[in-house]
Amino acid sequence: MKSLKESLIRWRRRPWIWSFLGAILIWVLAVGLAGGHGGWSVFTTALAFSAFTVLVGLGQMFVITLGPGNIDLSLPANIGLASAVAMKVMDGSDARIAIGLGAAILAGLLIGLANYALIRVLRIPPLIATLSSSFVIRSVGISYGRGLQIKPPQAFADVVLTRIGGISLPALLVLLMSIFAGVVLARTVYGRSVLAVGQNARAARLAGLPVGLVRLATYALCGALGGLCGALLAGFTGGSSLDVGAEYLLTSIAVVVIGGTSVAGGLANVPGLWGAALMLFLTATLLNSSGLGVDVRDLMTGLIIIAVITLAGGRRSLR
Amino acid sequence: MNAVVKSGPSKLWTDQNRRFDPRRLFRSALPGLSLLIVLAAIYDFNPRAISYFGFNLMLNLAVPVALATAAQLCIIAVSDLDLSIGAYVGFIACVTTTWLPTTPLLGTAAILASIVAYGALGALVHWRQLPSIVVTLGMSFVWLGLALFVRPQPGGLSPVWLSTFMGLHVPYVPFPIVAAVVLAIVLHLVLMNTAFGAVLRGAGGNATAVGRSGWSLLRIKATAYAMAGVLGSLAGLSLVGVSSSADANMANGYTLLSIAGAILGGAEFIGGRISPIGAVMGALTLQLATVALNFFQLPEVFPGFRIPPEWQVGAQGIILIVILAIRALINRGEA
């Protein structure tokens, strides 16, 4: 009896549980509205789309965990450019898929490094630095892509759209990456350093941690994940597009916050990303299928974000 | 946390005693210098643009941008950030074109209620100690949703009085410049020259100290946000006055533009360090730079070097980076 109570308390302490409960509730509503049919397909579709949100959410989570002020606003431009780079390098040829993927990730990585260079060398706040760089990246994307929509190689599109037991391959990949990210955060020197810097950068520096290097690696990681997301999205949607990343500006931040990661930094939560991403996608599905328009969907998304952050409390919970 | 400590009373005191520091002078002149450089560049492209009609045309959209920047400045003054101002300006524009011409009472009530909502948001941010970025991020969805509800399709009508006012022809000086100057002066007087403004900025610099000396931080935050709501509403109204139709997404870019303008104008993200006149100049600079890049297709920066059209967005980013880099250099010397 006691152990049950203890485990209940332990479960309640996990903030990500709420995003999953919310996702399940909305899933039940959505399936109920459809007359109890298609529950599995609604779930697998949600998984397939959430995978991309979680992928960029992972990068954004690492950056936000670095502490107050740290944020990457260049992700949408990054995703758009990377999708163009991937498609152009692959050039519709199955043999060049690996090179294209590598090129997209490299492009993202370079963007991350450039972001950190702006932050560090010019001492610009991350918000403004990544905002300014996103303008520049967008122009690079326009002049590089020239508005062409290049089709992905058939094999690449097939792989990205493959479903194993109903679950899409990108979702499985991102699931593995999430587990890996969780292990990195909890068990590696780099992961622990990110948390330490986020909790108190001054203390971390005095403790001898290479704070600058940790930040550099984190922005680079976030950029690389954005690059990978761009390449996968191009395969998923059947071609590169500069606007493919537009929706990920706000959703990448939203899933991090709803998922229980502390906005004040120093406290990350990987499972919550999935719960939040599924919840947002299922909310959109539910509102779409119940005939309500995009206006109600936006309104609900906003109210959910505010409700979650109000209930979870802000900086106070950290102290 | 460091910055809060840095901008404590002792720092303020020494600042006042270093009035003749050339670096500080250069720093505060930077927004004006940037504006002059952009003006000089425009004159170089086309001397006729620097005229009464040229300015009327180029600064057409500067009034709403400057008002949105002023709104953002009120939030930055209390060390918060507003990621919803663009969506809010769009929402107000939708309300203005949909309800104000036909049912003015409903329209006015909606705008007043939104301002109250803004103030309540500030109270919520203080009460629950929430990060403003996340709350206003959520609000940006809310305003966008409401805007789409009010006006699902772009279009609508501008109230006649509004278009007349925004199309006002002032003799000798173009109307947008008059409006910008009035805005800068009023904002400067309220934020920099009144006791209330000092308390507001104080709350941005050291909230604990202001709270301990007996001011209600809740009221300060709510007032700052409500002021942003008022200025944001004016931005929406003036935007309709200029463009005479509305679309829920029409002002989304204002969020980032307003932050950039305020920062260009010399504001710091934390510590309640702001400059209202600089912010208005920053907004004008960004607006003129955008217009210059749009109007004069393929402007020739150096002989033989033209900016391709796809680099117009990028040029904005580069302008921002360059000006911030110069400021970082000055700050480094100062420290």
Side-chain angles (χ1 to χ4, degrees):
Chain A
M1 213 42 214
K2 197 187 168 196
S3 68
L4 179 73
K5 200 176 169 189
E6 267 176 5
S7 62
L8 266 179
I9 290 170
R10 265 182 57 195
W11 278 98
R12 272 191 49 181
R13 283 212 193 111
R14 303 184 178 198
W16 52 268
I17 210 84
W18 300 111
S19 60
F20 276 100
L21 284 180
I24 292 171
L25 178 76
I26 291 163
W27 176 76
V28 168
L29 280 175
V31 174
L33 206 75
H37 299 296
W40 176 248
S41 82
V42 167
F43 174 68
T44 52
T45 312
L47 264 188
F49 278 92
S50 300
F52 301 104
T53 320
V54 172
L55 189 57
V56 282
L58 275 173
Q60 192 73 270
M61 181 191 73
F62 272 92
V63 169
I64 288 179
T65 304
L66 281 178
N70 282 293
I71 202 160
D72 187 352
L73 295 186
S74 69
L75 273 174
N78 178 352
I79 293 170
L81 177 64
S83 78
V85 168
M87 290 306 103
K88 235 178 159 174
V89 172
M90 286 181 194
D91 200 21
S93 147
D94 290 350
R96 296 171 62 87
I97 292 175
I99 313 174
L101 266 179
I105 296 174
L106 184 70
L109 187 85
L110 290 176
I111 289 170
L113 291 176
N115 280 337
Y116 187 70
L118 287 178
I119 296 166
R120 183 77 193 90
V121 180
L122 298 185
R123 297 191 185 180
I124 305 178
L127 192 105
I128 285 285
T130 54
L131 164 67
S132 329
S133 75
S134 83
F135 287 158
V136 179
I137 298 162
R138 207 176 154 71
S139 280
V140 174
I142 297 172
S143 67
Y144 179 81
R146 292 271 165 214
L148 294 175
Q149 199 181 22
I150 310 168
K151 288 234 172 300
Q154 195 54 47
F156 184 60
D158 287 346
V159 167
V160 176
L161 291 170
T162 300
R163 290 189 170 209
I164 298 171
I167 296 167
S168 81
L169 208 57
L172 283 176
L173 172 78
V174 177
L175 207 59
L176 285 177
M177 289 176 69
S178 314
I179 295 170
F180 182 67
V183 173
V184 164
L185 267 175
R187 300 257 180 253
T188 64
V189 174
Y190 165 68
R192 304 296 289 185
S193 306
V194 169
L195 294 172
V197 170
Q199 278 158 21
N200 192 331
R202 201 173 134 80
R205 186 171 287 125
L206 291 175
L209 288 179
V211 175
L213 207 63
V214 169
R215 287 191 175 140
L216 173 77
T218 306
Y219 276 93
L221 172 75
C222 181
L225 288 175
L228 176 63
C229 179
L232 293 180
L233 267 176
F236 193 74
T237 56
S240 67
S241 149
L242 282 177
D243 294 321
V244 77
E247 61 174 298
Y248 292 97
L249 173 63
L250 297 183
T251 42
S252 73
I253 304 170
V255 291
V256 172
V257 175
I258 297 177
T261 292
S262 165
V263 194
L267 187 77
N269 196 314
V270 180
L273 291 178
W274 278 98
L278 288 172
M279 183 164 89
L280 286 184
F281 182 82
L282 287 170
T283 309
T285 314
L286 176 67
L287 293 170
N288 280 343
S289 61
S290 55
L292 293 167
V294 67
D295 50 348
V296 185
R297 194 175 82 195
D298 283 334
L299 194 68
M300 290 300 293
T301 310
L303 291 179
I304 289 174
I305 295 176
I306 295 175
V308 167
I309 189 75
T310 307
L311 289 174
R315 290 156 232 170
R316 190 184 288 165
S317 61
L318 200 73
R319 304 259 163 83
Chain B
M1 279 300 104
N2 285 341
V4 176
V5 177
K6 262 186 212 156
S7 55
S10 62
K11 176 81 197 278
L12 276 178
W13 186 79
T14 49
D15 275 2
Q16 276 174 352
N17 284 310
R18 284 196 305 182
R19 205 169 285 166
F20 296 109
D21 187 336
R23 282 203 201 93
R24 278 181 60 79
L25 201 68
F26 185 48
R27 204 186 116 103
S28 45
L30 201 58
L33 280 178
S34 329
L35 185 57
L36 279 180
I37 291 171
V38 172
L39 282 176
I42 291 177
Y43 183 80
D44 194 48
F45 301 149
N46 187 348
R48 269 174 298 179
I50 307 294
S51 64
Y52 183 85
F53 288 105
F55 274 121
N56 258 333
L57 222 60
M58 287 192 295
L59 290 173
N60 209 354
L61 284 168
V63 178
V65 173
L67 281 164
T69 308
Q72 186 70 257
L73 201 70
C74 293
I75 307 279
I76 292 181
V78 291
S79 281
D80 279 350
L81 211 54
D82 186 359
L83 294 187
S84 68
I85 190 71
Y88 180 72
V89 172
F91 165 70
I92 294 293
C94 287
V95 169
T96 308
T97 54
T98 313
W99 290 338
L100 270 192
T102 47
T103 46
L105 218 60
L106 178 64
T108 316
I111 293 175
L112 288 179
S114 317
I115 294 171
V116 172
Y118 239 91
L121 206 67
L124 179 75
V125 164
H126 172 73
W127 175 50
R128 296 288 295 164
Q129 292 290 300
L130 302 177
S132 59
I133 296 187
V134 180
V135 176
T136 53
L137 174 73
M139 281 313 286
S140 74
F141 284 100
V142 172
W143 295 127
L144 188 64
L146 289 174
L148 283 169
F149 172 74
V150 174
R151 175 151 287 291
Q153 260 88 43
L157 270 177
S158 163
V160 178
W161 55 267
L162 195 56
S163 306
T164 317
F165 180 72
M166 287 306 291
L168 216 62
H169 280 273
V170 186
Y172 305 114
V173 189
F175 174 71
I177 295 184
V178 176
V181 168
V182 169
L183 175 67
I185 291 174
V186 170
L187 211 60
H188 183 86
L189 288 178
V190 171
L191 285 175
M192 309 307 275
N193 275 20
T194 62
F196 167 73
V199 171
L200 202 74
R201 288 178 291 123
N206 192 337
T208 320
V210 170
R212 293 236 169 101
S213 51
W215 298 92
S216 159
L217 286 172
L218 187 81
R219 200 174 297 165
I220 293 173
K221 275 263 164 98
T223 314
Y225 275 72
M227 277 169 68
V230 172
L231 289 163
S233 305
L234 291 177
L237 284 168
S238 61
L239 183 57
V240 171
V242 174
S243 61
S244 71
S245 74
D247 161 14
N249 288 301
M250 76 191 303
N252 284 353
Y254 280 27
T255 301
L256 301 180
L257 214 56
S258 68
I259 299 174
I263 296 297
L264 275 189
E268 303 279 347
F269 271 119
I270 36 176
R273 209 173 177 184
I274 53 165
S275 159
I277 295 176
V280 173
M281 281 193 209
L284 292 185
T285 310
L286 280 179
Q287 181 59 29
L288 279 175
T290 316
V291 168
L293 291 165
N294 279 329
F295 263 22
F296 313 107
Q297 293 267 310
L298 307 181
E300 197 164 336
V301 179
F302 304 112
F305 179 81
R306 289 167 182 277
I307 300 177
E310 64 261 29
W311 269 92
Q312 286 175 1
V313 198
Q316 268 188 340
I318 291 170
I319 291 172
L320 251 174
I321 292 172
V322 167
I323 294 180
L324 288 168
I326 296 172
R327 210 169 80 190
L329 278 176
I330 303 168
N331 278 354
R332 190 169 296 182
E334 194 185 50

PDB file of all heavy atoms in Angstrom, chain A residues 225-238:
ATOM      1  N   LEU A 225      20.295  19.483 -35.713  1.00  0.00           N
ATOM      2  CA  LEU A 225      18.988  18.826 -35.650  1.00  0.00           C
ATOM      3  C   LEU A 225      17.994  19.517 -36.583  1.00  0.00           C
ATOM      4  O   LEU A 225      17.184  18.862 -37.239  1.00  0.00           O
ATOM      5  CB  LEU A 225      18.456  18.811 -34.209  1.00  0.00           C
ATOM      6  CG  LEU A 225      19.177  17.857 -33.252  1.00  0.00           C
ATOM      7  CD1 LEU A 225      18.643  18.016 -31.834  1.00  0.00           C
ATOM      8  CD2 LEU A 225      19.005  16.415 -33.706  1.00  0.00           C
ATOM      9  N   GLY A 226      18.068  20.861 -36.625  1.00  0.00           N
ATOM     10  CA  GLY A 226      17.219  21.607 -37.557  1.00  0.00           C
ATOM     11  C   GLY A 226      17.516  21.203 -38.993  1.00  0.00           C
ATOM     12  O   GLY A 226      16.603  21.011 -39.802  1.00  0.00           O
ATOM     13  N   GLY A 227      18.813  21.037 -39.315  1.00  0.00           N
ATOM     14  CA  GLY A 227      19.215  20.627 -40.654  1.00  0.00           C
ATOM     15  C   GLY A 227      18.660  19.254 -41.014  1.00  0.00           C
ATOM     16  O   GLY A 227      18.101  19.054 -42.098  1.00  0.00           O
ATOM     17  N   LEU A 228      18.778  18.310 -40.077  1.00  0.00           N
ATOM     18  CA  LEU A 228      18.254  16.956 -40.301  1.00  0.00           C
ATOM     19  C   LEU A 228      16.743  17.014 -40.518  1.00  0.00           C
ATOM     20  O   LEU A 228      16.194  16.372 -41.423  1.00  0.00           O
ATOM     21  CB  LEU A 228      18.585  16.068 -39.086  1.00  0.00           C
ATOM     22  CG  LEU A 228      18.034  14.648 -39.126  1.00  0.00           C
ATOM     23  CD1 LEU A 228      18.623  13.877 -40.295  1.00  0.00           C
ATOM     24  CD2 LEU A 228      18.316  13.906 -37.822  1.00  0.00           C
ATOM     25  N   CYS A 229      16.058  17.816 -39.689  1.00  0.00           N
ATOM     26  CA  CYS A 229      14.612  17.950 -39.805  1.00  0.00           C
ATOM     27  C   CYS A 229      14.234  18.486 -41.182  1.00  0.00           C
ATOM     28  O   CYS A 229      13.291  17.986 -41.808  1.00  0.00           O
ATOM     29  CB  CYS A 229      14.090  18.885 -38.706  1.00  0.00           C
ATOM     30  SG  CYS A 229      12.320  19.136 -38.771  1.00  0.00           S
ATOM     31  N   GLY A 230      15.005  19.468 -41.665  1.00  0.00           N
ATOM     32  CA  GLY A 230      14.729  20.035 -42.983  1.00  0.00           C
ATOM     33  C   GLY A 230      14.820  18.974 -44.072  1.00  0.00           C
ATOM     34  O   GLY A 230      13.935  18.872 -44.932  1.00  0.00           O
ATOM     35  N   ALA A 231      15.882  18.149 -44.017  1.00  0.00           N
ATOM     36  CA  ALA A 231      16.077  17.113 -45.030  1.00  0.00           C
ATOM     37  C   ALA A 231      14.930  16.106 -44.986  1.00  0.00           C
ATOM     38  O   ALA A 231      14.351  15.745 -46.022  1.00  0.00           O
ATOM     39  CB  ALA A 231      17.414  16.418 -44.808  1.00  0.00           C
ATOM     40  N   LEU A 232      14.587  15.644 -43.773  1.00  0.00           N
ATOM     41  CA  LEU A 232      13.521  14.648 -43.638  1.00  0.00           C
ATOM     42  C   LEU A 232      12.177  15.216 -44.102  1.00  0.00           C
ATOM     43  O   LEU A 232      11.395  14.534 -44.766  1.00  0.00           O
ATOM     44  CB  LEU A 232      13.419  14.172 -42.184  1.00  0.00           C
ATOM     45  CG  LEU A 232      14.613  13.368 -41.650  1.00  0.00           C
ATOM     46  CD1 LEU A 232      14.379  12.960 -40.207  1.00  0.00           C
ATOM     47  CD2 LEU A 232      14.840  12.133 -42.513  1.00  0.00           C
ATOM     48  N   LEU A 233      11.926  16.496 -43.741  1.00  0.00           N
ATOM     49  CA  LEU A 233      10.659  17.120 -44.130  1.00  0.00           C
ATOM     50  C   LEU A 233      10.539  17.205 -45.647  1.00  0.00           C
ATOM     51  O   LEU A 233       9.462  16.995 -46.213  1.00  0.00           O
ATOM     52  CB  LEU A 233      10.549  18.517 -43.535  1.00  0.00           C
ATOM     53  CG  LEU A 233       9.837  18.645 -42.194  1.00  0.00           C
ATOM     54  CD1 LEU A 233       9.907  20.072 -41.702  1.00  0.00           C
ATOM     55  CD2 LEU A 233       8.383  18.204 -42.309  1.00  0.00           C
ATOM     56  N   ALA A 234      11.692  17.512 -46.306  1.00  0.00           N
ATOM     57  CA  ALA A 234      11.660  17.604 -47.756  1.00  0.00           C
ATOM     58  C   ALA A 234      11.272  16.263 -48.361  1.00  0.00           C
ATOM     59  O   ALA A 234      10.501  16.197 -49.324  1.00  0.00           O
ATOM     60  CB  ALA A 234      13.023  18.050 -48.281  1.00  0.00           C
ATOM     61  N   GLY A 235      11.783  15.158 -47.784  1.00  0.00           N
ATOM     62  CA  GLY A 235      11.407  13.842 -48.265  1.00  0.00           C
ATOM     63  C   GLY A 235       9.947  13.537 -47.963  1.00  0.00           C
ATOM     64  O   GLY A 235       9.229  12.953 -48.774  1.00  0.00           O
ATOM     65  N   PHE A 236       9.487  13.976 -46.794  1.00  0.00           N
ATOM     66  CA  PHE A 236       8.138  13.681 -46.312  1.00  0.00           C
ATOM     67  C   PHE A 236       7.089  14.419 -47.135  1.00  0.00           C
ATOM     68  O   PHE A 236       6.023  13.897 -47.427  1.00  0.00           O
ATOM     69  CB  PHE A 236       8.061  14.092 -44.839  1.00  0.00           C
ATOM     70  CG  PHE A 236       6.848  13.576 -44.117  1.00  0.00           C
ATOM     71  CD1 PHE A 236       6.752  12.236 -43.752  1.00  0.00           C
ATOM     72  CD2 PHE A 236       5.809  14.423 -43.777  1.00  0.00           C
ATOM     73  CE1 PHE A 236       5.654  11.757 -43.080  1.00  0.00           C
ATOM     74  CE2 PHE A 236       4.698  13.943 -43.095  1.00  0.00           C
ATOM     75  CZ  PHE A 236       4.626  12.604 -42.748  1.00  0.00           C
ATOM     76  N   THR A 237       7.415  15.683 -47.512  1.00  0.00           N
ATOM     77  CA  THR A 237       6.422  16.498 -48.207  1.00  0.00           C
ATOM     78  C   THR A 237       6.626  16.486 -49.720  1.00  0.00           C
ATOM     79  O   THR A 237       5.918  17.173 -50.432  1.00  0.00           O
ATOM     80  CB  THR A 237       6.462  17.958 -47.717  1.00  0.00           C
ATOM     81  OG1 THR A 237       7.798  18.437 -47.885  1.00  0.00           O
ATOM     82  CG2 THR A 237       6.082  18.081 -46.275  1.00  0.00           C
ATOM     83  N   GLY A 238       7.618  15.727 -50.192  1.00  0.00           N
ATOM     84  CA  GLY A 238       7.784  15.577 -51.628  1.00  0.00           C
ATOM     85  C   GLY A 238       8.523  16.717 -52.291  1.00  0.00           C
ATOM     86  O   GLY A 238       8.332  16.984 -53.466  1.00  0.00           O
TER      87      GLY A 238
END
